[in-house]
Amino acid sequence: MFRRIARLVAAFVMILSGAFAGAVATAGTAHADGCYTWTRTLAQGTSGADVTQLQIRLGGYAGYGAVLAVDGSFGPATEAALKRFQSAYGLTADGVAGAGTYNKLYALQDDDCTPVHFSYSELNDCNSTWSGGAVSATTAKANALRTMWKLEALRHALGDQPITVTSGFRSYACNEAVGGASNSRHLYGDAADLGAGPHSLCTLAKQARYHGFRGILGPGYPGHNDHTHLDHRDSQYWSAPTCGI
């Protein structure tokens, strides 16, 4: 009888131990995601397509006047951007992308990889194909995705209040119809015009300086008193004189 009780107690302990071990093994493990799932921890010195995916989502955390390269190489700039992202969302700002970072990113993105507060349709009211611009449809759409992630960072920095996009990608035909500049960044899919809402146009322009936008045009710049324009041009050009920029 005693042996039987002892065996039952031992079996019960083994079951509890196994359950506890399983809990330890899965604690903090990032879940699979409908858009993209990271399968390893990333830190300075790593490289690959998973780093590229991370950099796209960290583009809005480059810091004042900086632009984060999307090159698949995890260097000091990526680490700094990751630390800013982690700090912004109350995570341990260690510059290492692990389960905590990934789970926050999964919560921030929809299954089509757009951030939860923006959509492809918002960045393109010209056509449904992303064609007819200065770059291929694939490139234009990819540029818009990067812009949306920068806008998501801008939105979060401004208290997670809505940001209204009034214009995004334009084909040459759409650009001509609205009187856009012949070399408009809208033709490349990497520009967004923002309207006033919870935040003034000047507030949007000033805060955008921290979120990876090389081009910022706002109130006081010709033709921009009713919106703030953000883009990713080749070199920095900021002009919103009414806002002190």
Side-chain angles (χ1 to χ4, degrees):
M1 181 68 175
F2 176 80
R3 291 178 181 176
R4 183 180 180 185
I5 294 175
R7 286 196 299 269
L8 289 173
V9 170
F12 182 69
V13 170
M14 289 179 67
I15 291 173
L16 287 179
S17 298
F20 178 76
V24 171
T26 59
T29 300
H31 60 77
D33 184 73
C35 161
Y36 184 85
T37 301
W38 284 271
T39 58
R40 61 170 178 160
T41 298
L42 299 175
Q44 190 168 168
T46 55
S47 62
D50 47 3
V51 175
T52 298
Q53 291 295 325
L54 179 65
Q55 290 170 329
I56 290 171
R57 290 152 181 79
L58 296 179
Y61 292 89
Y64 184 88
V67 174
L68 181 64
V70 180
D71 58 6
S73 180
F74 196 128
T78 300
E79 181 181 75
L82 177 55
K83 286 181 178 179
R84 292 187 191 97
F85 171 83
Q86 292 170 326
S87 179
Y89 283 99
L91 304 173
T92 300
D94 57 6
V96 176
T101 295
Y102 299 146
N103 283 330
K104 174 51 65 176
L105 289 173
Y106 296 151
L108 286 173
Q109 67 184 19
D110 289 323
D111 284 351
D112 65 354
C113 299
T114 59
V116 292
H117 297 109
F118 297 92
S119 66
Y120 282 118
S121 61
E122 285 181 275
L123 270 290
N124 182 1
D125 60 3
C126 171
N127 58 42
S128 61
T129 62
W130 297 84
S131 61
V135 293
S136 71
T138 299
T139 298
K141 192 172 183 179
N143 287 343
L145 180 63
R146 297 184 187 187
T147 297
M148 281 187 272
W149 279 102
K150 293 179 183 182
L151 292 175
E152 185 71 27
L154 173 63
R155 187 184 191 279
H156 184 61
L158 291 175
D160 279 318
Q161 293 179 301
I163 289 177
T164 301
V165 178
T166 60
S167 183
F169 167 76
R170 300 174 193 159
S171 66
Y172 280 106
C174 289
N175 190 59
E176 183 177 357
V178 299
S182 61
N183 61 343
S184 171
R185 294 307 306 184
H186 290 281
L187 296 165
Y188 296 82
D190 64 11
D193 290 346
L194 309 181
H199 310 292
S200 69
L201 297 178
C202 282
T203 294
L204 293 169
K206 289 178 179 179
Q207 187 62 44
R209 296 174 296 179
Y210 296 86
H211 300 291
F213 293 102
R214 285 200 181 104
I216 302 174
L217 305 175
Y221 185 82
H224 288 71
N225 286 327
D226 63 349
H227 68 280
T228 290
H229 169 96
L230 307 176
D231 67 49
H232 185 73
R233 60 188 66 198
D234 293 334
S235 59
Q236 187 181 103
Y237 186 80
W238 297 346
S239 183
T242 302
C243 310
I245 298 175

